[in-house]
Amino acid sequence: MSTGVVVTGIGLVSPVGTAVEEVFEAVCAGRSALVRPPEGHALHGVVDVAAIGPAIDPESVLPPREARVVDRSIVMGVRAAEDALADAGIEVGRDVDPFRVAVVLSGVGGLETLARQAVERSVRGRLGVSPFMLPGVLPNMAAARVAIKFGIRGYTSSSGTACAAGGQSIGEAVRVLRSGEADVVVCGCTEAPLFPTFADAFGNALALARGWPDPTTASRPFDRRRNGFVLGEGAGVLVLERFEFARARGAAVHAGVLGWGATSDAHHPTAPRPDGSSAAESMRIALRGAGLSTGDIDYLNAHGTGTKAGDAAEAVAIRTVFGDGMPPVSSTKGVTGHLLGASGVVEAAIGITALRKGLLPPTANLDDPDPACDLNHVRGEPVTAAVGAVMSNSFGFGGHNVSVIFGSADG
């Protein structure tokens, strides 16, 4: 049996759009989604800038009774899954046995629902707590809702690896497909962190960008003046299939998933290992799994959030692996903001589109590259290039490192 895995469906919910072409055009044009939270938004007056996703009517993805009590993270995740399955042209039960489809859909869970219910209890007492809280807050519920909506009855899981969770979901999906447990996996991540308690936690940790009169300039990965990331929300879902299964059903293929790697820093709960050694190893594992050398990577979409320590550690890791022959590197969070775990899937979709179009998006707001981030930056304008393989990095609190490589789909 071939071990080839291919991407046949992409579904996105992001601050810069819901169609992959729209998202890619925005990052290439530097059309920022970063705004000052408007009056009426939960974060108005709480943070300087945020990356706010599109409004989605919950009743457009779930039955009215369920839509009334569901968390926004689930709404976005189900919408992205719906779009990804439509893009893949898959109807579960018609095109594939429901027991041969898996779901790996991650995210922090419905923390806004939890925060609201805590307030209800403090105001109204024990009977004020809704019995619908649990299906709103559990981190596996986005995956469960997708399984229920589409009748998926195979393997299901959620990865709790913070901002690496999207990349981790892709990797776990590859593992499930290569093991023969499924023919199709719906994988990704969904995050809805734009409420005051969560934002204040990051703000008090001095992790958020601050003090920028123009909010579109606040996210500046690898720039000397960067001072934190811009908190955002969104969801990204990919449909992965075994190559042979996709070929047999005549599916249109976006790209192949050639390899992936995951490591742990074993260093600190919130700070990256400064020498980047574990992050470097995740890239090396992905290269070995793909059977590629460093010279085969033509573009690297960095995690690059805009924090001082995170960007510098990633730059050290990339230079350690690639040396002076490193590929062009950019972080698209300068336009999209940081969608936490969902970033990994949105950025994978951007990398796949760069591969298909032969066009490399720049890092927005990279006016003065930090010498501590000595990389082969793409900045200013997008760059036309022959692209055979791309790498996407995702790193998370807890020291989780994930790298995924996409390339041509030849099984």
Side-chain angles (χ1 to χ4, degrees), residues 92-93 96-103 143-144 146-156 181-182 184 186:
V92 178
V96 58
D97 180 341
F99 287 103
R100 296 290 298 167
V101 186
V103 182
V146 167
I148 292 167
K149 181 176 177 70
F150 299 103
I152 296 170
R153 304 179 70 182
Y155 176 91
T156 303
E181 293 179 65
V184 176
V186 179

Side-chain angles (χ1 to χ4, degrees), residues 139-196:
N140 65 309
M141 276 300 155
R145 289 283 188 179
V146 167
I148 292 167
K149 181 176 177 70
F150 299 103
I152 296 170
R153 304 179 70 182
Y155 176 91
T156 303
S157 76
S158 302
S159 298
T161 50
C163 300
Q168 184 102 19
S169 293
I170 297 171
E172 186 176 344
V174 171
R175 182 174 287 164
V176 169
L177 289 166
R178 287 180 174 169
S179 74
E181 293 179 65
D183 295 316
V184 176
V185 183
V186 179
C187 65
C189 188
T190 180
E191 304 277 23
L194 301 187
F195 63 99

Side-chain angles (χ1 to χ4, degrees), residues 203-281:
N204 292 339
L206 302 181
L208 299 183
R210 56 204 178 279
W212 299 95
D214 177 358
T216 66
T217 65
S219 180
R220 21 193 347 109
F222 306 122
D223 188 81
R224 194 193 296 263
R225 292 192 297 155
R226 69 192 186 281
N227 63 6
F229 67 82
V230 172
L231 190 62
E233 62 179 353
V237 172
L238 303 182
V239 173
L240 305 189
E241 300 183 47
R242 290 194 303 107
F243 172 76
E244 290 174 343
F245 185 83
R247 182 173 60 179
R249 72 179 190 88
V253 171
H254 292 293
V257 189
L258 306 186
W260 77 289
T263 62
S264 177
D265 276 357
H267 171 68
H268 190 276
T270 58
R273 183 177 282 276
D275 67 4
S277 55
S278 292
E281 187 61 17

Side-chain angles (χ1 to χ4, degrees), residues 26-75:
V27 297
C28 284
R31 192 167 59 249
S32 175
L34 312 185
V35 298
R36 212 168 295 291
E39 193 170 346
H41 190 277
L43 290 189
H44 176 68
V46 177
V47 296
D48 290 349
V49 55
I52 301 171
I56 302 174
D57 180 0
E59 292 192 17
S60 68
V61 298
L62 293 169
R65 184 175 179 182
E66 299 173 31
R68 285 196 294 272
V69 296
V70 76
D71 190 85
R72 178 164 167 75
S73 62
I74 294 174
V75 173

Side-chain angles (χ1 to χ4, degrees), residues 7 13 72 93 98 107 111 142 191 200 229 302 321 330 338 346 408 410:
V7 182
V13 175
R72 178 164 167 75
L111 293 185
E191 304 277 23
D200 283 342
F229 67 82
V321 174
S330 67
H338 188 8
V346 172
S408 63
D410 56 9

